[in-house]
Amino acid sequence: MNYLAMGAAAASVSLAASAGLAESRFTWDGEVELGVDSVVNSDVAADELSDFYGTLELNGEFALTDNLSVFGGITGESVTDPTGDRVFGDLGFYVHELGLRYSIGESAVSFGKITPSFGSTWDSAAGFYGDALAGDYELTEMIGATADFAVAGGTLSFGVFHADDTYLSQSAGFNRGRNRASDGGAGNTGKFDNFAVQWSQELGDTFYHVGARRLSASAGDVKDETGYVAGIGHQVNDQLGLFAEVAHFDGFGGTADDATFVTLNAAYTVGQITYSGLISQRDVDSAGKTNLYSVGLDYELANGMVLGAALAHVDDAGTNSQQIGLNLVIPLGG
């Protein structure tokens, strides 16, 4: 299993989707994940809990013409953070993407509810806890437009957007409520005054990306957020892959905080088993440093399903805890 190849593919997802539509008017994929994330020991006893969860993600695209397509995606998951032991609690289903895409050759422009490009740890890092900290800066569920252009062997991606404040920000089942600009948070402005840009390229066994974003202050925020990200992955050989990403923010989340995130990840594959190691840090001015160290393995079954397990030690501004993660990922596609 080559986790780093997933990162390179994610950098040009719009272009790949467009190519797939040349062969079929409708393409789709997705996955089901069943698992448990358990804090087995902590300096704060109240933090010791187990969250048995299930997630579903489906993505599809239908070609209206040779150039114009409709795309969409649905997510089902626990839409609140656990406050105690729970089993499949607060399950909600929501639309994470929906819109129109116009493609010309290897370039594409998308409009609607979108996912702008900024970083790739959530796609590129191996292991159960690979994006446990970096997920804090992923851009998801935005209303606006993105453009992906094939340039000089790489992909140049632009996005102009704001946080989804439509009815699509709610969820069915357990309703997480509708987001509104009055709720605050950088980028939650109801205006197209936020942008992200990223350059991604694959050179042989190496891929890299660099990006920047600016999220405007919303209601109650202290300042605009300005962020920068850089990541690199390298497949050393058929077995060993390495990945690193660093992101820095001024005015993180619309606050007065500076924040820096660092992810270092390695994956080593032997047969059907991929072993992984992770060092990750989140440093936010007002909250201090959070350090996460993890080791894990993933076993790929013959039918494409993957069994995963990981151990993690977390030092959150001096509060230490140990966690265990177990999951089963079932790929879907048609």
Side-chain angles (χ1 to χ4, degrees):
M1 181 185 299
N2 188 330
Y3 283 80
L4 297 178
M6 294 168 58
S12 56
V13 62
S14 296
L15 306 184
S18 302
L21 288 168
E23 302 175 5
S24 172
R25 294 186 67 84
F26 179 68
T27 58
W28 73 280
D29 60 32
E31 68 177 31
V32 173
E33 180 179 351
L34 302 173
V36 57
D37 188 6
S38 182
V39 180
V40 295
N41 183 55
S42 175
D43 293 342
V44 178
D47 291 342
E48 297 176 5
L49 57 86
S50 295
D51 183 20
F52 291 83
Y53 66 88
T55 64
L56 167 68
E57 182 174 319
L58 295 174
N59 300 284
E61 189 160 356
F62 181 77
L64 300 172
T65 70
D66 289 342
N67 302 106
L68 184 64
S69 62
V70 178
F71 66 89
I74 297 174
T75 295
E77 63 181 359
S78 297
V79 294
T80 64
D81 293 328
T83 57
D85 291 340
R86 70 177 181 182
V87 179
F88 303 113
D90 298 345
L91 283 174
F93 297 83
Y94 58 91
V95 175
H96 64 257
E97 282 193 329
L98 182 64
L100 293 173
R101 177 171 293 125
Y102 187 78
S103 305
I104 301 177
E106 296 184 340
S107 299
V109 180
S110 304
F111 306 88
K113 187 165 184 177
I114 54 170
T115 304
S117 296
F118 184 82
S120 77
T121 293
W122 32 90
D123 292 313
S124 302
F128 187 94
Y129 294 106
D131 65 344
L133 300 184
D136 287 356
Y137 60 85
E138 183 179 9
L139 291 175
T140 60
E141 294 194 75
M142 300 294 174
I143 300 294
T146 59
D148 300 285
F149 300 104
V151 180
T155 301
L156 183 61
S157 302
F158 294 95
V160 179
F161 52 86
H162 62 78
D164 181 15
D165 56 1
T166 71
Y167 285 106
L168 294 179
S169 63
Q170 301 182 96
S171 56
F174 186 92
N175 190 353
R176 60 185 180 177
R178 180 174 176 174
N179 174 56
R180 299 184 186 275
S182 58
D183 295 335
N188 188 22
T189 60
K191 302 176 183 179
F192 299 113
D193 54 358
N194 310 280
F195 76 88
V197 58
Q198 182 158 287
W199 168 260
S200 306
Q201 188 166 36
E202 184 176 0
L203 299 171
D205 294 323
T206 302
F207 75 90
Y208 70 91
H209 54 263
V210 292
R213 78 187 195 194
R214 186 170 182 83
L215 307 183
S216 297
S218 184
D221 291 341
V222 175
K223 62 191 299 187
D224 297 340
E225 176 192 286
T226 303
Y228 306 93
V229 66
I232 186 169
H234 179 66
Q235 197 66 34
V236 178
N237 51 41
D238 290 342
Q239 295 177 304
L240 178 62
L242 305 174
F243 174 74
E245 185 169 271
V246 59
H248 178 76
F249 303 89
D250 174 63
F252 184 61
T255 69
D257 288 332
D258 285 351
T260 302
F261 295 77
V262 178
T263 300
L264 303 175
N265 183 244
Y268 187 80
T269 301
V270 180
Q272 295 171 271
I273 300 177
T274 296
Y275 302 92
S276 60
L278 173 75
I279 299 174
S280 186
Q281 183 182 88
R282 175 181 59 207
D283 185 1
V284 181
D285 285 347
S286 63
K289 292 183 180 180
T290 299
N291 295 302
L292 186 153
Y293 311 94
S294 178
V295 293
L297 63 85
D298 293 275
Y299 181 79
E300 185 172 7
L301 304 175
N303 54 11
M305 295 191 297
V306 177
L307 285 168
L311 301 174
H313 175 83
V314 181
D315 179 355
D316 186 7
T319 298
N320 292 277
S321 62
Q322 290 75 45
Q323 297 181 218
I324 296 176
L326 303 170
N327 67 342
L328 170 65
V329 178
I330 305 169
L332 306 172

